Amino acid sequence: MVKGLYAAYTGMINEQNRMDVLTNNLANAATTGYKKEGATSQAFNDVLAYKIKDTSEYVNLAKRIGNMNLGVKIGENYTDYSQGAFRVTENTFDLAISGSGFFTVEFTNKAGVTSTKYFEDHIEYLVTKDGDYVLSSTGNRIRLDPTQEADIDSSGRISQNGVAVATVGLTDFEDYNYLEHYGENYYQPVEGFETKPADALIRSGYLEASNVQAVSEMVE
């Protein structure tokens, strides 16, 4: 009976993790560019228990289970990178990516350490809503003349007074399993990542909404 209580306890812990993920999704349902997350569970201990009691090996001698926990284990969390709906803003400097890719952003933390982050989605310099510099295709900050109108085409090329100023930098990755969340809607690569050219178009005057379906998350 005691083992049964511990098994039930692991189920509660697993469900708590799932609820944490769902509530975080709901909290970010209105966050521009947010990609929802999901949670998985593992029944590895059950499989291992069968293996340990397998009498077909070692001269038909079953091995003891010992103090192994037979309950469920929390598996991996994952991110759903599917495209969110586009919202029209009619602001030239609101940009959304149609396709696979991320904006490249120069990010500075509270300690003053600068690093590169990636953002799936406003000016002397072109910045995000949080004030981080959006980088060009050459890795430089994009400086604009605030007194002139600007135009941004589907390739991300920014023109002012008929002259090309810069092209918005896009980055894509061979395997999104090498990305991890940073903050609300930034991503940073982990060791082993590989980049590739982004197969995407840039939509000026749009923002990509979160891909969270609030009703579905509430049902879950």
Side-chain angles (χ1 to χ4, degrees):
M1 178 168 177
V2 173
K3 280 194 174 184
L5 290 175
Y6 279 112
Y9 164 77
T10 63
M12 293 171 64
I13 294 297
N14 187 76
E15 285 301 296
Q16 181 64 60
N17 176 69
R18 193 173 71 89
M19 287 296 294
D20 288 344
V21 172
L22 291 173
T23 52
N24 185 60
N25 286 341
L26 282 170
N28 287 283
T31 299
T32 300
Y34 178 81
K35 301 298 185 183
K36 72 174 183 178
E37 294 185 304
T40 62
S41 58
Q42 293 177 311
F44 172 75
N45 285 342
D46 290 340
V47 178
L48 185 58
Y50 284 119
K51 182 66 175 176
I52 289 176
K53 294 180 69 68
D54 185 1
T55 58
S56 65
E57 299 179 356
Y58 304 110
V59 200
N60 295 328
L61 294 177
K63 290 166 284 185
R64 293 183 178 274
I65 293 180
N67 59 2
M68 183 178 61
N69 187 349
L70 296 180
V72 67
K73 299 192 73 172
I74 294 175
E76 294 181 350
N77 287 0
Y78 63 90
T79 301
D80 178 0
Y81 289 98
S82 61
Q83 186 96 56
F86 286 170
R87 176 167 57 87
V88 179
T89 67
E90 297 183 352
N91 181 344
T92 301
F93 298 107
D94 281 342
L95 305 177
I97 298 173
S98 177
S100 299
F102 301 80
F103 293 113
T104 308
V105 174
E106 182 183 287
F107 175 81
T108 303
N109 64 18
K110 293 180 179 179
V113 178
T114 299
S115 59
T116 301
K117 304 296 182 210
Y118 301 93
F119 179 54
E120 271 202 310
D121 251 291
H122 260 220
I123 260 190
E124 192 170 354
Y125 286 102
L126 184 64
V127 297
T128 70
K129 64 181 179 65
D130 296 317
D132 298 314
Y133 294 103
V134 177
L135 300 182
S136 69
S137 56
T138 59
N140 299 313
R141 296 176 180 178
I142 300 174
R143 188 168 186 170
L144 303 171
D145 183 348
T147 65
Q148 294 185 4
E149 294 290 331
D151 177 71
I152 305 176
D153 65 20
S154 60
S155 68
R157 184 174 59 189
I158 305 174
S159 300
Q160 289 191 299
N161 198 25
V163 178
V165 177
T167 299
V168 177
L170 292 182
T171 303
D172 202 7
F173 298 87
E174 291 286 353
D175 188 344
Y176 287 179
N177 288 320
Y178 288 92
L179 291 180
E180 64 181 10
H181 267 292
Y182 187 94
E184 293 179 339
N185 50 10
Y186 279 161
Y187 299 88
Q188 63 184 10
V190 298
E191 185 177 354
F193 76 95
E194 294 182 9
T195 61
K196 67 177 183 179
D199 182 18
L201 299 176
I202 290 181
R203 304 299 186 190
S204 175
Y206 295 85
L207 288 176
E208 182 185 351
S210 165
N211 66 353
V212 174
Q213 298 292 328
V215 173
S216 298
E217 299 300 300
M218 291 176 67
V219 170
E220 288 292 328

